[in-house]
Amino acid sequence: MSRARNTGLFLVLAAAWGTAFVAISAGLEHFPPVLFAALRYDIAGILMLAYAAYAVDDWYPTGRAEWAVVAVGATLLIAAYHAFLFVGQQHTTAAAAAILVSLSPVLTTGFARLLMPSDALSALGVIGVGLGLVGVAVISQPETGDLFAPDVIGKVLVFCAAAAFALGSVLTRRIDAALPIETMEAWSMLGGALLMHLLSLALREPIEPSAWTDPQALGALGYLAVVASALGFLLYFDLLERLGAVEINMVSYVAPIFTAIVGWLYLGEVVDAATLGGFLLIALGFVLVKRRAIRETLGRTPGGDSSTGADD
């Protein structure tokens, strides 16, 4: 029963995060990108802070190390990641964006090893990271032969989003702070939202008043804030404790399936051969990078601990 429950929640999380990319594409028809991302985390941050105050004793950061981890989370995991993602997704499909973001676990390995030179990647680990980057190149190839075409720039920006998230993941783990993850996420969301509001003002993003009454715009915003962010992260916390880091990382490779299906049904987007080929290369790169941890995960009992090393 526990295994069935975990599998069910895993699929719910993959569906919530996969369909989030479709909601982003739908909302971008009404909201400017950075402001849209900021509004999402205004709501999600308040919901997460309320949950943190309920669920943990240390619901606000204290001390330099705890505020440092929140600052990194706000800047890289929330603001940089979502600003790049939302701006980039204006010029690419939801499925392509979801697949490019799935590179994050592979990039996390690369950043971890760059910041820890004594822990060099093995030969297979290097090949895995390389395959992931080749997958990005395959997906990002220009449709018109122009390297500066909007679709190419959009995919490059989404890649930058994945890189920002990966770097933020490594840096937050390197800071010695005993801050509950719920607290870190809540304050990072609020801080990231503030940074994105400032960026939106600097960019002088306009907003149409009709967006505040359009059902699709409000539905996309509500879905992203409540389902994909607040509910999604609560499921993530639960599954991270039950499954371990390696198994939960696999959600990055199941989510694009939901993105592709819902994107086709709701937005009429079609996944081309290049996008599919790039996804397979990125997934193969992840398997090579995490090969030992995957073997250990498959061999352990359900609910047991798992290795979280980068190149296992």
Side-chain angles (χ1 to χ4, degrees), residues 138-174:
V138 169
I139 294 172
S140 301
Q141 60 181 319
E143 298 174 359
T144 61
D146 181 4
L147 291 176
F148 298 99
D151 64 301
V152 178
I153 298 300
K155 290 168 184 173
V156 169
L157 289 175
V158 176
F159 170 77
C160 290
F165 191 89
L167 178 59
S169 298
V170 173
L171 292 179
T172 53
R173 290 204 301 266
R174 292 295 179 265

Side-chain angles (χ1 to χ4, degrees), residues 198-265:
L198 294 175
L199 178 58
S200 178
L201 289 173
L203 295 174
R204 297 182 179 179
E205 289 187 324
I207 183 169
E208 291 293 332
S210 60
W212 298 107
T213 58
D214 187 279
Q216 178 173 278
L218 296 178
L221 179 59
Y223 185 85
L224 288 170
V226 178
V227 178
S229 297
L231 177 61
F233 276 106
L234 292 180
L235 289 176
Y236 176 83
F237 298 148
D238 181 68
L239 290 171
L240 179 63
E241 182 178 351
R242 294 172 180 273
L243 301 179
V246 175
E247 281 191 71
I248 197 61
N249 271 339
M250 295 303 294
V251 77
S252 298
Y253 303 94
V254 179
I257 298 172
F258 288 95
T259 309
I261 294 171
V262 178
W264 172 63
L265 292 172

Side-chain angles (χ1 to χ4, degrees), residues 109 113 119-129 288-292 310-312:
T109 298
R113 296 316 189 192
D119 253 346
L121 280 167
S122 66
L124 280 177
V126 172
I127 293 172
V129 174
L288 289 178
V289 166
K290 291 289 189 180
R291 63 196 182 282
R292 292 181 184 172
D311 179 28
D312 301 301

Side-chain angles (χ1 to χ4, degrees), residues 5-108:
R5 173 190 180 279
N6 291 343
T7 301
L9 291 180
F10 180 92
L11 291 174
V12 171
L13 178 60
W17 281 0
T19 52
F21 292 92
V22 180
I24 292 171
S25 292
L28 286 172
E29 297 181 10
H30 307 277
F31 294 108
V34 179
L35 178 60
F36 185 24
L39 292 171
R40 169 186 181 177
Y41 281 99
D42 287 335
I43 302 170
I46 292 171
L47 293 175
M48 283 300 303
L49 184 60
Y51 175 76
Y54 165 78
V56 299
D57 293 330
D58 301 326
W59 61 272
Y60 59 91
T62 58
R64 182 178 301 176
E66 293 187 358
W67 281 110
V69 77
V70 167
V72 171
T75 303
L76 292 174
L77 298 179
I78 302 298
Y81 169 63
H82 289 91
F84 280 127
L85 174 62
F86 279 53
V87 174
Q89 202 172 318
Q90 293 179 111
H91 307 293
T92 188
T93 65
I99 290 169
L100 289 169
V101 166
S102 74
L103 183 67
S104 289
V106 179
L107 292 177
T108 299

